[in-house]
Amino acid sequence: MSQIMSSSSSKSGEAMWGGARERLRRELGDAVFDAWIGPLELLSIDSTEIRLGAPKLFVRNWVSNHYVSRIERALSVEGCRRRCVSIVLAPPKVVIGGGLPRDSKAFSAPAVAPVHEVSIEGSAEPRRGLWNRVLHPAQSFESFVVGPSNEFACSAARAFAEGENNETSLLYLHGGFGYGKSHILNATALEARSRGRRALFLGAEDFMRQFLGALHRRETLMFKEELRAADLLLIDDLQHICRSSSTISEFLHTVNAFSDLRRRIVIAADRSPEAFDALGADVRSRLSGGLVIALGKPDRETRLGIVKLRLQEFARHRPHVAFPDDILERIADLEDASPRELVGVLTKLATYADLTKKPVTLCLAEEAIGQRGMPGRKTGIEDIQRKTAEFYKLEVRDLHSKERSRRVARPRQVAMYLSRELTMRSLPEIGRRFGNRDHTTVLHACRRITELCTMDPLLRQEVDFLKQVLSKRSEIR
């Protein structure tokens, strides 16, 4: 057994270990460092060996198998050469009064994941770590308006945050744009962190960019370790992950790894797992095996609760802004509007009242509501055909053809229905734009899609998704 450090060597040994720790923190990131390197303490050092103590057997085994070479390299850079590193179980600390050791915080999960940057060797720009996302403190469960359309999803997410519902490790939420999916994920992460759990919240774009960057730098192992340091992983906007086969493969490995480790994943997307053709049957099957919950359109009472809550938040900073109830009720009457659109109309009116110091009248509210449906460029039948064909993996010419197979006929009916709903074109004109079809064919298609949407939730989600995409495209042009 090596000698305990003498007082003459203690200062240099501690200095080298302190420098190595900072180097390892930069290399590994705060999450991985706090989990595995932070708990280690320098026990002894001699001419051939450095002994580091781990607080638990599991930590000792994991560090011995995965990080010894990194520790040796970091110590070598700090001037501690020709010494091997041994990880041993640290002797228990004697604490007067029976309290916890003073450094026991080193291995406890942080209440809030840290924001950090990891330097890349040879690059002037720092690499943003996985844990850099700052949660929105206002998007909590307390500020989420619960109604029949989202009650199940909100309750399930809260149970995941609290560590309940051990029967499944995966929660999958899907719904239209602006229905509150991101709010629920943010609230779940906040609640989990308040309970001392490591909750990692990523957008699908963040996951894809970080993984491809690690793949380019040959640091995929570091990426995996940093990702799997989380107790709860939350991924938003899964639809954006479908552009890279390697990213999809890594995503599946991540889902399987969290399941094997009995940890939790919460995923949000704009459609159900079955609607993701680009993900592959294996990924769709894996996602469908979790708890899949759809967020629907809020009812009028929920919409009214949303606008009232947002007005209260606005008035908290600008007390002079107040609306009469009839204006709030008029905004809540917008059945086709998502919660995000309702808040947009409310914010516009509140900002007008704040800047002009004039009262908001019902006439002004009607004007703001009317402008909501006036995009800079109207959606055309060509836009609808192109986007529908793209969604169903067809060519636009298929929609014009005489083919009557279900693979083509149903998307053609959807496109006709959307042309009737989103444009001012007459039935005969729509029929002419779909291969010179009769207006009765268009009328039958519209009636058929309307009927199917009441019976087939998946088709209804597809039609709603296409409506939102086409409306969004018209607004930004």
Side-chain angles (χ1 to χ4, degrees), residues 206-278:
D206 299 327
F207 181 96
M208 183 169 60
R209 184 176 63 254
Q210 293 281 358
F211 172 69
L212 294 177
L215 194 66
H216 177 72
R217 297 188 301 272
R218 299 182 181 179
E219 295 178 351
T220 54
L221 180 60
M222 184 186 303
F223 172 84
K224 294 174 186 287
E225 291 174 345
E226 193 172 358
L227 194 68
R228 286 155 178 73
D231 300 316
L232 176 65
L233 176 63
L234 305 102
I235 297 180
D236 198 11
D237 293 324
L238 182 67
Q239 64 272 10
H240 297 314
I241 214 168
C242 303
R243 289 178 281 174
S244 167
S245 59
S246 60
T247 308
I248 294 173
S249 177
E250 178 58 30
F251 170 73
L252 178 59
H253 293 326
T254 299
V255 172
N256 291 332
F258 269 73
S259 177
D260 294 340
L261 293 169
R262 302 188 67 82
R263 297 179 184 176
R264 307 294 185 80
I265 294 185
V266 183
I267 298 169
D270 63 356
R271 68 198 82 166
S272 65
E274 295 82 4
F276 273 111
D277 294 335

Side-chain angles (χ1 to χ4, degrees), residues 24-66:
L24 289 167
R25 182 184 290 275
R26 292 194 299 271
E27 290 179 1
L28 301 175
D30 285 355
V32 176
F33 178 90
D34 290 339
W36 307 114
I37 308 301
L40 303 179
E41 58 177 314
L42 181 62
L43 297 180
S44 63
I45 183 171
D46 60 21
S47 60
T48 60
E49 184 184 36
I50 298 173
R51 291 167 62 83
L52 300 176
K56 296 183 180 180
L57 183 61
F58 174 75
V59 178
R60 184 192 73 83
N61 294 339
W62 185 268
V63 173
S64 297
N65 292 330
H66 295 85

